[in-house]
C-alpha cells in the first residue's frame, strides 16, 4: 500500500505551487483558502451528528449522496473517506472544483484516501463552475476527470 503521509506531502507541495505560480492572484480571485484538518474534521463530524439528530441517518448511509460544491484540493471528502464517515463503495460521492489544477489534486487525494481506507469505491471529481449549474441537475450526468 502507498504511504499516505508521503503522498499527502506531495499534494501539499502541488497545492502550494498553484498558489505561488501567479503571486496569489488566482487564489485571491477565486477565494482559495486553506482549511486546517482539525477544522475539516470538526465540520465533517458535525454534519454527521446533525444527520443523525434530524434525519436518523449517518453520513455514510447508502441513501445519502455526498456533494462538495467547492472542493478545492479535496480535503473535506478525503478526510471523510479516511475516517469512515463516507463510503464511496456504497454511496455516490461527488466533488466539484472550478480550477483545473486543484480539481486534479482533489481527484488524486480522493483516490489515495480510498486506497488508504481500503475502499474499492471512487469519488467522482468534476471540473466545473458550480454556480453555472442548474440546481436540479443530477451530478451523475456531468463529465468528470478521468480516474
Amino acid at each position: 500500500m502507498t504511504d499516505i503521509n508521503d503522498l499527502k506531502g506531495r499534494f501539499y507541495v502541488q497545492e502550494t505551487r498553484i498558489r505561488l505560480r501567479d503571486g496569489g492572484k488566482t487564489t485571491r480571485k477565486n477565494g482559495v483558502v486553506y482549511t486546517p484538518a482539525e477544522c475539516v474534521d470538526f465540520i465533517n463530524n458535525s454534519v454527521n451528528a446533525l444527520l443523525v439528530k434530524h434525519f436518523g441517518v449517518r453520513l455514510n448511509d447508502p441513501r445519502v449522496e455526498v456533494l462538495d460544491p467547492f472542493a478545492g484540493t479535496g480535503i473535506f471528502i478525503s478526510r471523510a473517506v479516511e475516517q469512515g464517515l463516507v463510503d464511496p463503495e456504497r454511496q455516490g460521492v461527488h466533488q466539484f472544483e472550478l480550477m483545473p489544477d486543484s480539481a486534479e489534486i482533489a481527484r488524486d487525494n480522493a483516490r489515495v484516501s480510498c486506497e488508504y481506507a481500503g475502499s474499492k469505491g471512487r469519488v467522482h471529481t468534476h471540473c466545473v463552475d458550480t454556480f453555472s449549474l442548474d440546481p436540479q441537475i443530477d451530478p451523475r450526468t456531468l463529465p468528470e476527470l478521468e480516474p
Side-chain angles (χ1 to χ4, degrees):
M1 183 181 339
T2 309
D3 178 7
I4 188 121
N5 292 321
D6 178 50
L7 286 169
K8 293 279 184 189
R10 282 192 270 160
F11 291 130
Y12 176 76
V13 169
Q14 289 177 334
E15 179 181 355
T16 303
R17 282 190 196 129
I18 290 169
R19 293 168 193 242
L20 296 176
R21 186 176 9 218
D22 66 354
K25 290 179 203 145
T26 301
T27 56
R28 280 192 298 276
K29 176 183 160 216
N30 292 313
V32 175
V33 296
Y34 169 73
T35 308
E38 297 82 7
C39 294
V40 171
D41 294 345
F42 174 79
I43 293 167
N44 283 346
N45 285 308
S46 296
V47 168
N48 191 50
L50 289 168
L51 281 171
V52 170
K53 179 179 180 182
H54 295 286
F55 300 102
V57 296
R58 293 190 159 301
L59 193 53
N60 64 2
D61 187 291
R63 298 171 292 175
V64 175
E65 186 128 351
V66 179
L67 307 173
D68 183 349
F70 310 102
T73 57
I75 189 168
F76 281 87
I77 297 291
S78 291
R79 297 288 295 186
V81 169
E82 290 169 16
Q83 296 171 347
L85 291 171
V86 170
D87 184 358
E89 272 187 80
R90 297 177 43 222
Q91 64 190 131
V93 182
H94 300 266
Q95 52 188 359
F96 304 86
E97 175 51 41
L98 173 65
M99 295 172 48
D101 289 340
S102 294
E104 288 180 14
I105 293 170
R107 176 205 55 209
D108 294 342
N109 279 340
R111 181 184 47 76
V112 170
S113 294
C114 285
E115 182 181 314
Y116 174 77
S119 173
K120 295 194 185 326
R122 185 162 95 83
V123 173
H124 304 277
T125 304
H126 310 275
C127 187
V128 63
D129 179 0
T130 309
F131 288 124
S132 70
L133 296 176
D134 178 341
Q136 302 302 318
I137 196 161
D138 181 344
R140 294 170 292 206
T141 63
L142 294 172
E144 62 183 284
L145 296 179
E146 292 296 319

